[in-house]
Amino acid sequence: MSTIRMKRTTLGVIGLTAAAALSLTGCKNGNEEAGPAQSGSPAAQPSQSSDQPGTPAAPSAGTSGGADGAAPGGAPAGAAKPGQTFKIGEAATVPFTYDSDTKGTIALTVTAVEQGQAADLDALKLGDKVKGMVPYYIRYTVKNVGTTNLEYASVGHIKGLLPDGSEAQDVSVIGKFEKCKDDSLPGGFTGGKTQTSCAIALAPSAQTKVVGAEYWGDPYNNLNDSKSLYWK
């Protein structure tokens, strides 16, 4: 079984499972994930966007990179503006949608971008597909700042950023990976509750670092990269 986490149009996604399946797929929007995580030994797959556009000139924290500086339509007061850049450790107020029934508001904070060891990837059994790459762990917190119970929703769509502004390759894990736990929100995730989570980003070599993070979940997932949120 494989899980694919995609941005925009992915022409070729290599999926590595027990059966070593190769997948081709289109794109998926919003905050949905393509299937629940399974228990047992983790399987993983690197997924690479077909394009690696550079991030537009970064606006300062608290400013918008959008043309009119407006928050997304119907967003709560104080919602992050499309293209806005935050400092690592700074919270962004995000209108959050999961599936078609759950809508709420979260405070999303990238708290750290930590360098791992190449040997960490051995547990994911990706072999030569990640040869020479170095994992980075994007730590982030999700706080429910609305009135909707967001239990069992998944807050993903976090990618790493390389020094030139392009996106680092990400890895979608099936099962548990202790170095970087990415769990759904727990039951009873009501207003005021907080959970920590993690996303894996791969630097292409030891000489290149992952220096920031990007959130591209709905409503910040338009084809124009300036609609994402950034942490640096």
Side-chain angles (χ1 to χ4, degrees):
M1 174 178 180
S2 63
T3 298
I4 300 172
R5 188 177 297 170
M6 294 154 284
K7 182 174 182 182
R8 304 171 190 95
T9 301
T10 304
L11 296 181
V13 176
I14 297 175
L16 182 68
T17 67
L22 177 67
S23 300
L24 287 176
T25 184
C27 66
K28 184 177 182 65
N29 292 325
N31 283 292
E32 302 88 348
E33 298 294 333
Q38 303 294 316
S39 59
S41 300
Q45 59 193 42
S47 60
Q48 184 71 49
S49 297
S50 60
D51 55 349
Q52 291 289 313
T55 302
S60 60
T63 63
S64 171
D68 57 8
K81 300 175 179 65
Q84 191 167 349
T85 297
F86 299 86
K87 295 179 180 179
I88 291 177
E90 186 178 5
T93 300
V94 173
F96 178 73
T97 301
Y98 185 74
D99 294 331
S100 58
D101 302 322
T102 304
K103 298 182 184 295
T105 307
I106 61 174
L108 181 64
T109 308
V110 174
T111 58
V113 179
E114 299 175 356
Q115 182 176 343
Q117 302 294 323
D120 295 348
L121 298 173
D122 292 348
L124 301 179
K125 303 185 185 304
L126 289 166
D128 289 344
K129 295 178 179 64
V130 294
K131 185 176 182 179
M133 295 182 176
V134 178
Y136 281 73
Y137 305 123
I138 303 173
R139 313 286 181 184
Y140 60 99
T141 62
V142 178
K143 181 177 182 180
N144 188 346
V145 293
T147 58
T148 304
N149 185 353
L150 299 177
E151 62 184 2
Y152 311 128
S154 294
V155 184
H157 298 82
I158 300 286
K159 295 178 73 75
L161 294 175
L162 300 176
D164 64 358
S166 62
E167 298 168 351
Q169 185 166 319
D170 62 346
V171 178
S172 184
V173 176
I174 300 173
K176 296 292 184 182
F177 181 50
E178 292 301 321
K179 293 282 186 180
C180 190
K181 295 181 179 180
D182 178 16
D183 297 320
S184 298
L185 300 177
F189 197 78
T190 52
K193 298 290 182 67
T194 301
Q195 175 170 290
T196 61
S197 196
C198 180
I200 306 171
L202 300 180
S205 69
Q207 290 72 44
T208 303
K209 297 183 180 295
V210 175
V211 296
E214 171 187 5
Y215 174 73
W216 56 276
D218 185 34
Y220 304 98
N221 59 356
N222 291 351
L223 294 177
N224 180 354
D225 265 12
S226 68
K227 298 298 183 180
S228 298
L229 302 180
Y230 304 96
W231 281 261
K232 297 180 180 180

